[in-house]
Amino acid sequence: EILIVDEVLAVGDAAFQRKCLGKMGDVAKEGRTVLFVSHNMGVMQTLCKRGILLQKGTAIADSSAAKAVTTYLEILEKSASQNLLDRVDRSGKGRVKLTQIEITTGERLEATNLATGRPACFVFYANRILPRMSCCFTIYDQLGQAVTCFDSAICSQEDSVNSEDSVKFICKIDELLLIPGRYRINASIMCDGEFEDDVKAAAFFEVEEGRIRDRAVLKSTGYGNVVIQHQWSIPI
C-alpha cells in the first residue's frame, strides 16, 4: 500500500530516473501512498504535497512540501553562521579540516555580494597539508539544485601553486555566470580519492544583478541558474 523511494535521483542514469519518477506517478494515481526520500528540494516541491523533515531520527517539520523545504534551508543557513572549525556536522577521515571560507569579488575586498559578469574568488583554508590533497566544492541554488562543481584535482595549464605560508585553496572566476540569487556551498577536502573533510552548507553567498558583455542579467524568473554569452541576429 505504501511505495518507499529513497534517493532515487542520486543514482542511475537519466533514463532510469525517468522510469522511477514515472512509476511513482502511476502508483500515486492509483490512490496509493508514495514516500519519497530526497535532498533534491526542487523535485520534492514538484512531486509532493506533504513534507516531513527529519533531524537525528525526529520529525521536526510536518506540513506542506514548500514549508518543509523552507524549514530545511533555514536550518542550513543557521549552521553556516557558526564558526566553520567548530561545526560537528561534518564527515570524512578527519586528518584535515576546513577552517574558513572567504568569498570575495577578487579584488581583496571581503564581500559576500557578488554580481553576475563580475570576478569572483573562493578561498578555502585548511588546518594542515597532506600529500596529494585537493579541494572541491559544489554550488547549489536556493532550491537545493546543484548548479556547478569545482575540483582542484582536475588540473589545467592555467593553475598555479600558492607559495604563501597559509594552507589555502584559491578558486578564481574571471566572469561569474550565475544569475542573481542566493546560493550555498558544500565543500570538501580530498586526499587520494577519499574524503578528509566534507561540510554541507559550508557557506552562503548572494549574487546581484549585473551584465555579461554589456547584456543586462536580471533577477531569476525561474528559468535556470546560469547565463551563457550569446549573440542574436534579429530581423529589421
Side-chain angles (χ1 to χ4, degrees):
E1 296 180 356
I2 299 177
L3 174 64
I4 301 177
V5 185
D6 188 1
E7 290 288 7
V8 66
L9 299 181
V11 297
D13 56 17
F16 173 78
Q17 294 179 9
R18 283 196 299 270
K19 181 178 179 180
C20 291
L21 292 174
K23 180 63 175 178
M24 289 169 56
D26 293 342
V27 170
K29 290 177 182 178
E30 296 173 1
R32 295 162 61 189
T33 298
V34 179
L35 178 59
F36 179 52
V37 184
S38 178
H39 285 87
N40 190 314
M41 302 297 103
V43 175
M44 184 78 72
Q45 294 184 85
T46 300
L47 297 179
C48 305
K49 297 179 179 179
R50 177 183 176 188
I52 302 174
L53 176 61
L54 301 179
Q55 187 177 62
K56 297 181 179 179
T58 301
I60 60 174
D62 185 351
S63 56
S64 68
K67 289 183 178 179
V69 167
T70 298
T71 302
Y72 173 67
L73 295 177
E74 288 175 348
I75 291 174
L76 289 181
E77 291 236 20
K78 185 176 180 180
S79 297
S81 66
Q82 301 176 24
N83 186 300
L84 186 58
L85 191 56
D86 294 336
R87 288 181 54 175
V88 296
D89 56 331
R90 62 208 309 156
S91 58
K93 298 177 68 175
R95 294 183 298 172
V96 180
K97 287 187 177 182
L98 287 163
T99 62
Q100 183 183 356
I101 298 175
E102 290 181 352
I103 303 173
T104 74
T105 60
E107 299 172 350
R108 295 191 176 277
L109 299 175
E110 187 171 349
T112 56
N113 285 7
L114 308 179
T116 305
R118 299 290 296 168
C121 183
F122 299 83
V123 184
F124 300 84
Y125 292 85
N127 60 346
R128 60 178 299 197
I129 190 169
L130 291 176
R132 298 174 300 279
M133 189 170 77
S134 61
C135 176
C136 62
F137 67 102
T138 303
I139 297 177
Y140 293 82
D141 66 12
Q142 57 190 353
L143 293 179
Q145 300 272 27
V147 177
T148 187
C149 181
F150 301 85
D151 189 346
S152 70
I154 303 175
C155 302
S156 164
Q157 292 183 350
E158 295 182 345
D159 293 343
S160 61
V161 176
N162 178 18
S163 60
E164 297 182 18
D165 293 335
S166 58
V167 180
K168 60 183 179 181
F169 293 86
I170 304 172
C171 181
K172 296 181 178 179
I173 300 174
D174 294 332
E175 197 173 35
L176 188 64
L177 301 181
L178 296 176
I179 61 173
R182 187 162 180 78
Y183 297 86
R184 83 168 192 264
I185 289 176
N186 289 3
S188 303
I189 295 292
M190 307 282 292
C191 190
D192 289 330
E194 294 185 299
F195 284 98
E196 289 292 340
D197 194 22
D198 182 44
V199 185
K200 310 299 184 186
F204 283 76
F205 65 94
E206 296 275 355
V207 177
E208 298 179 344
E209 295 181 352
R211 305 183 75 86
I212 296 289
R213 312 291 171 84
D214 202 39
R215 188 188 302 275
V217 181
L218 306 179
K219 194 168 181 62
S220 170
T221 55
Y223 296 100
N225 297 302
V226 298
V227 58
I228 298 175
Q229 166 60 14
H230 59 283
Q231 299 85 33
W232 285 98
S233 177
I234 58 179
I236 298 176

